[in-house]
Every structure is written in structure tokens, then in C-alpha cells.
Amino acid sequence: VHVSRDGGATWQNVTANLPGLPPNGVVRNIDASKWDAGKAYLSVEFHYDGNFDPYIYKTTDYGRTWTKITNGMEPSPVSYVRNVREDPVRPGLLYAGTESTLYVSLDDGASWRELMPGLPHTPYYWLVVQEHFNDLVIGTYGRGFWIIDDVTPLQQMTPSVAASDAHLFEPRDAYRFRPVASPFEMSNDPVAGRNPPYGASLNYWLGEGGERDVQLVIADASGATVRTLEGTSRAGINRVWWDLEGEPTTEVKLRTPPLYASWLEVGDDGERPIIAGRVSILRPPGEYRVTLVVDGADRGSAPLRVLKDPHSEGSEADIAAQVVFLEEIAGDVNRTADMINRVELVRKQLGDLDLVLKAAGGDLSGLRETVRDIDGKLIDAEEQVYQMRLTGTGQDRVRWPTKVYGRLTYLAGGVATADFAPTDQAREVHVALVERLERALADFEAVLSSDLPGLNAQLRAANLPNVIAAVP
């Protein structure tokens, strides 16, 4: 080990200053501190000489004196050290890779603990912290490259945090990346990489305490809540990813079989899934605030900055116009979903009532005709907004035309494809779809106001319960 303090003009051999250093070692790396000009970290290994113990040293005086810092690394046949690295953000945060394990130290090497979040036990040859994203990049021997995404919780971990019951770490900036052309790769490629989840990495600490109800609430700059996420409740560091989207539109719950497909039964919960998606809007770049809520109590908040994709050619004004338009579409998707849910609830009651009247027979046969007539009118209204023949089997999605609900969600997907303001054509399509929705809503409300009261009067006369007109 040599040190130069004059730009390499002269060197001083300081190897003899390393205490307890056996002979014939291989110096694997030297990491000069960015925080202190006299500080450096050194890894040496002796496995070629039959010595497999860990050796990491630290100097704070340009190599005049050294301290061995391996407390917490148990000697084993695969414990010799390949690399030691200082964190570029937090002084005293160190990473080390041995022949089998990755370690971390929060106290400048005074103690070490394993850092193996799903990593393989393999030689860890090289470590680099990618400073822009605070990702720990790891090069192994035989098991490829690995990345521990977002080490900001380690950079912000302090004894007071570790002693606390709950703590929200300040999140790193999140990029609002937009889709680009994907590289070609075989579906069964055994060495293909995997990206982290999309969006913002939200990290928090929980002390010991068993199962807890944890939520992360994201609000925009105006203070309006845009998303509430369910968190995990493990003791220690927890992570939840926010996909930068707002709350999805209302879930549609179908409670009757498809038209002409009575063989398709609803589930045990009385529902079957809709054959169409929901709309969830990618929130615009800007300032947000994340709040950690544990068992209903606010346990702290922190700012989150969402950044525009640097490759995107759309302006922030374009994105703002796009989001406003998408919110209009989402509002109409919600109105459509509410109508479908209400129709389905009423039709479910009519279907059950029809079975009762059929079994009763006799003087109730006329009442049964009224039930079927009203059900037919409801079908006419619902068919305008949802393709009721869809079963989810075969190719029926291409056999039957998409109705208002499916067209609105498709329109939203098209508008949200890239960071550009809505086109005139998209706005014209939206107007046309809203007109269809309004007609369907009017037809549905007419049934509720004109037909259903008469049916309920007949049911009361026959000592039968009313059909409830479900509200949104």
C-alpha cells in the first residue's frame, strides 16, 4: 500500500503500518474518502495463502496509522473481503463485499451487519453507488450484476430512527418516465435483467410491535389527496412503490350473467368481473407530500418531487392540459360505472323476484310479466353503455362492438400515451360519447321514476318486499 500526497510525484510505502497484517495478501481495493482528505478504506485478502478471514482497514491520517474494522463479520471459508466502499451521501456509511455476502456498516466500520435483500450468496467483487439515483450497483463473480434500488433509507438511518416506533424517510426524487422502444430479448432468456417497479420509492421504519395498519397518503401541492397506498408492517425498513397514478375509477361489479350466456354464473360473492379496464391517471410533474399513517395516526410527512421525463418532448403545459382532460374522461367513466352498478343491482333483484313469482304461480303471473318488462327496459339502457354479451371467453371481445364504457377507457388510454396535449379529434370523440351516456342515463332514470314505483306498489299489495333502486 502506497500513498502519494503530491499528485504522484513521490510515493510512500505504508504497508508496515497495517496492524496484524499477514504476509502475501492481495490488496483488493482502496477507497479514498470524499469527506476527509486523510481518510481511506482498504480491503486485503489472503485466500491464496489459505487464510479466509476478513481484513478491512481504515486510516484517518494518510496511512500513518490504520485500524482493522471487521467487527460483525464472522470468519468462514468464504468470508475474505473483495471490496469496501464508502457511501457518497452519508459519512460513515460503508458497504463491503466478501466471497459470499454483502455487508453494511452505519458507524464507519465499528460494526457490520449483513445486507442481503434477496441477493445470492456469491463473490461480491465490486460495489459502486450510482449517485444520481442512490442505487447500490453490485458486480458479482458468476451471478451477474445486481442493483439495490434506492439506498436512501440507509443514508438517513440514525440511532434515533432505529429507536423510534415509526419514521418516514425523506424520499428521493421520482422520474415520471414515459414508454420508449424496448430492447429485443427472448422470452426465455436466462440472463435478462429486470427493472425496479415504476414510480416513487417510499420508505419508512417500524419498530417492534406486531401487525399494524399502515397507509401512505400522497397529496398534491394543493393538499388534495391523490392516492392512498396500503403499507407493510414488518419491523425494520419497509418499502412501498407509488406508480405515480391517482386513484382508479369506480370498480364495476356485474351481478347478472351475460346476455344469451346464462351458463356463466356469478361468483360466490354474487359478482363477476367486468370485461374492461379502469382509468387511473398518471399525475403530472410537481411537488407532492407523503404522509405515513400507522393505526390511524399521522406519524410524519415528507416532500416528494416528481420530475418530468428528460426524454419527453411534451411541455409541462401540455401535460397539465392532458391531465385536466383525462380527469374529465375519468369523471364520465365513474358516472358510467355508477350507472352500470345501479342497473346490475336492480336487475339482480328482478331476477331473484322472477324466480319467486315463477315458483308461486297463480295470480302472480301478471306481476311476473311486469318484472320482465322492466328488466327489458333496464337491459336496453345498460346495453348502451356496456357490451352485455361479453363472457370473457374465446374471442367475444372482437365479435361484439364496444359500448360507451369501453370506448371511454380506450379514449383515456390513447390520450395518456405520451406527454402531449389532447387532440381536437379526441375531444370530439369525448363529446360524442358523453351524449350517448346522457341518453342512457335518461333512459335508466325514466325506468326508476316511472316503472319501478308501480311495480313496488304491486309488490306491496301482494305482501312482497320492494325492489330497491340502488343509489350511486
Side-chain angles (χ1 to χ4, degrees):
V1 181
H2 299 77
V3 176
S4 173
R5 298 183 64 182
D6 54 14
T10 60
W11 291 87
Q12 179 184 5
N13 190 332
V14 298
T15 312
N17 300 339
L18 293 161
L21 184 72
N24 305 323
V26 178
V27 177
R28 283 299 177 185
N29 86 299
I30 303 170
D31 194 25
S33 174
K34 69 173 287 185
W35 306 107
D36 186 339
K39 181 184 284 188
Y41 306 91
L42 171 74
S43 65
V44 192
E45 58 98 353
F46 302 84
H47 88 276
Y48 292 117
D49 211 41
N51 181 350
F52 307 111
D53 290 349
Y55 287 86
I56 303 177
Y57 291 90
K58 176 179 71 173
T59 182
T60 59
D61 53 11
Y62 299 96
R64 286 192 295 271
T65 61
W66 295 83
T67 303
K68 188 179 180 183
I69 51 170
T70 56
N71 182 39
M73 295 182 174
E74 293 297 326
S76 76
V78 285
S79 65
Y80 49 97
V81 180
R82 292 289 191 175
N83 193 248
V84 62
R85 187 70 61 193
E86 178 190 62
D87 186 84
V89 174
R90 171 181 169 176
L93 174 58
L94 306 178
Y95 310 97
T98 72
E99 187 68 5
S100 67
T101 306
L102 181 67
Y103 286 89
V104 64
S105 173
L106 302 175
D107 49 17
D108 207 21
S111 62
W112 294 87
R113 67 189 72 184
E114 290 189 7
L115 179 62
M116 297 290 287
L119 295 172
H121 286 283
T122 190
Y124 289 89
Y125 269 34
W126 206 250
L127 309 171
V128 174
V129 176
Q130 203 286 341
E131 295 190 35
H132 188 78
F133 290 97
N134 278 340
D135 291 341
L136 178 59
V137 184
I138 305 162
T140 76
Y141 178 81
R143 295 297 296 275
F145 298 97
W146 294 77
I147 298 175
I148 298 180
D149 300 293
D150 188 12
V151 294
T152 53
L154 297 177
Q155 294 167 343
Q156 298 174 25
M157 178 61 71
T158 64
S160 61
V161 170
S164 67
D165 178 61
H167 176 81
L168 177 67
F169 297 105
E170 186 169 332
R172 68 179 181 183
D173 293 344
Y175 278 91
R176 190 180 182 270
F177 288 123
R178 304 298 279 154
V180 296
S182 300
F184 176 80
E185 62 184 30
M186 299 298 293
S187 60
N188 60 346
D189 185 353
V191 298
R194 185 178 63 196
N195 286 324
Y198 179 87
S201 170
L202 308 178
N203 305 281
Y204 55 95
W205 168 270
L206 292 177
E208 299 290 343
E211 192 70 22
R212 281 157 286 188
D213 179 30
V214 180
Q215 291 182 322
L216 291 159
V217 181
I218 298 102
D220 62 17
S222 71
T225 298
V226 297
R227 190 71 178 272
T228 300
L229 303 172
E230 297 297 324
T232 53
S233 60
R234 296 183 299 271
I237 296 174
N238 293 256
R239 172 171 294 172
V240 173
W241 289 86
W242 175 39
D243 60 8
L244 307 185
E245 294 184 356
E247 297 288 357
T249 51
T250 302
E251 182 181 5
V252 174
K253 298 180 179 180
L254 303 177
R255 303 173 188 276
T256 60
L259 295 183
Y260 314 117
S262 58
W263 48 267
L264 185 65
E265 299 180 355
V266 298
D268 293 338
D269 58 357
E271 303 169 4
R272 65 182 178 91
I274 188 172
I275 315 300
R278 298 163 73 182
V279 174
S280 187
I281 301 171
L282 188 64
R283 304 309 305 174
E287 302 294 331
Y288 294 82
R289 178 159 288 274
V290 182
T291 301
L292 174 65
V293 179
V294 180
D295 291 332
D298 183 340
R299 303 307 303 270
S301 62
L304 168 65
R305 187 167 62 158
V306 176
L307 303 175
K308 178 178 171 291
D309 187 340
H311 297 101
S312 170
E313 296 183 3
S315 68
E316 294 203 14
D318 289 337
I319 296 173
Q322 179 192 75
V323 170
V324 169
F325 185 49
L326 286 171
E327 288 173 342
E328 293 177 11
I329 298 174
D332 292 320
V333 170
N334 279 333
R335 290 204 298 154
T336 310
D338 289 338
M339 174 187 162
I340 296 172
N341 285 336
R342 294 173 67 196
V343 172
E344 287 285 314
L345 282 169
V346 174
R347 290 194 60 234
K348 171 63 176 173
Q349 296 175 73
L350 294 177
D352 293 342
L353 179 59
D354 185 61
L355 291 176
V356 172
L357 296 175
K358 180 181 178 181
D363 296 336
L364 297 179
S365 58
L367 185 56
R368 189 180 178 203
E369 290 299 321
T370 303
V371 168
R372 289 186 169 185
D373 177 65
I374 294 176
D375 186 55
K377 292 181 179 180
L378 291 174
I379 290 174
D380 291 340
E382 187 175 1
E383 270 196 305
Q384 298 177 58
V385 296
Y386 180 66
Q387 180 49 260
M388 300 176 67
R389 294 172 178 80
L390 294 178
T391 65
T393 60
Q395 294 182 317
D396 61 358
R397 292 191 70 171
V398 298
R399 291 194 179 106
W400 309 107
T402 303
K403 300 300 179 70
V404 170
Y405 183 90
R407 295 187 182 214
L408 282 171
T409 57
Y410 184 84
L411 175 63
V415 171
T417 300
D419 290 343
F420 296 107
T423 63
D424 292 341
Q425 293 91 330
R427 294 186 183 279
E428 291 172 6
V429 169
H430 181 225
V431 170
L433 293 176
V434 171
E435 289 175 353
R436 298 185 189 183
L437 172 59
E438 296 294 351
R439 288 195 295 269
L441 286 169
D443 291 345
F444 173 51
E445 294 298 337
V447 175
L448 297 186
S449 60
S450 300
D451 297 272
L452 197 58
L455 172 62
N456 283 334
Q458 291 180 272
L459 291 173
R460 288 192 297 273
N463 292 321
L464 292 172
N466 284 354
V467 171
I468 300 172
V471 297

